C-alpha cells in the first residue's frame, strides 16, 4: 500500500505543534496554510483517504488529480470578524493543502470525494486487475 499512495509533502515530527506545520507550496501564496491530518485505509477494492478540514464546507474544497498527483486544497468558509481586537491568540486560521502521488493501480476516473462535518473522505478504487478475487475450483 505504501507505494500506491505516497505523500509528496515532507513528513514532520509527530510532536511538532500544528502552527509549525504550515505548508508553503508556492512562494507567492499569501496567508497561512496547514497540512491536514489524514488516515489512509485499504480495503480489498479501494483505498480511502480521510482528511480533517475543520471549518470548511464542500464549496470551499478543491480536490484535483493532475499528472498522477492528487491535491487537496481547502479554505475556511469564513474569516475572523475584523472588528475583533485580539488580546492574546493561540488559534490560527488559514487554508489546508496536501498532495499525494498515486500509483497506476488506482482507477483515477472513479475517484469520489465527500465532506461531512469537516471530514473529507476520498474513495480511490483499485483497477479491477489489482483487486483480489476468488477463483472457483471445479471438480475435474
Amino acid at each position: 500500500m505504501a507505494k500506491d499512495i505516497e505523500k509528496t509533502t515532507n513528513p514532520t515530527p509527530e510532536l511538532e505543534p500544528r502552527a509549525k506545520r504550515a505548508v508553503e507550496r508556492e512562494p507567492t501564496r499569501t496567508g497561512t496554510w496547514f497540512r491536514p491530518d489524514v488516515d489512509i485505509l485499504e480495503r480489498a477494492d479501494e483505498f480511502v483517504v480521510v482528511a480533517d478540514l475543520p471549518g470548511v464546507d464542500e464549496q470551499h474544497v478543491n480536490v484535483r488529480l493532475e499528472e498522477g498527483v492528487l491535491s487537496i486544497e481547502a479554505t475556511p468558509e469564513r474569516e475572523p470578524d475584523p472588528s475583533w481586537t485580539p488580546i492574546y491568540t493561540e488559534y490560527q486560521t488559514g487554508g489546508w493543502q496536501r498532495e499525494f502521488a498515486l500509483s497506476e493501480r488506482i482507477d483515477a476516473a472513479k475517484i469520489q470525494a465527500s465532506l461531512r462535518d469537516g471530514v473529507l473522505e476520498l474513495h480511490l478504487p483499485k483497477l479491477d486487475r489489482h483487486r483480489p478475487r476468488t477463483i472457483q475450483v471445479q471438480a475435474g
Side-chain angles (χ1 to χ4, degrees), residues 16-132:
E16 190 171 5
R18 181 176 298 277
K20 292 186 179 181
R21 292 196 289 168
V23 175
E24 289 290 340
R25 194 175 96 185
E26 300 170 350
T28 58
R29 180 177 289 182
T30 60
T32 304
W33 289 83
F34 299 99
R35 188 184 69 156
D37 294 330
V38 299
D39 290 331
I40 301 174
L41 313 166
E42 183 175 13
R43 295 182 179 149
D45 60 343
E46 70 177 348
F47 294 98
V48 179
V49 178
V50 180
D52 288 334
L53 303 173
V56 177
D57 66 17
E58 67 277 357
Q59 296 172 351
H60 295 92
V61 177
N62 182 20
V63 178
R64 291 182 358 166
L65 180 63
E66 185 176 341
E67 297 182 17
V69 177
L70 182 71
S71 301
I72 301 168
E73 203 167 293
T75 54
E77 73 181 278
R78 66 177 198 173
E79 293 294 320
D81 187 336
S83 67
W84 292 359
T85 303
I87 297 169
Y88 175 78
T89 61
E90 289 183 343
Y91 180 79
Q92 290 186 357
T93 60
W96 302 95
Q97 193 275 330
R98 191 85 184 252
E99 293 180 336
F100 301 92
L102 303 183
S103 79
E104 294 178 3
R105 291 179 49 189
I106 294 171
D107 190 346
K110 294 182 181 175
I111 294 174
Q112 295 182 348
S114 63
L115 183 75
R116 182 176 177 193
D117 297 328
V119 178
L120 176 69
E121 276 194 22
L122 300 172
H123 293 266
L124 313 171
K126 296 177 184 177
L127 289 168
D128 287 337
R129 68 179 178 265
H130 293 289
R131 294 180 183 183

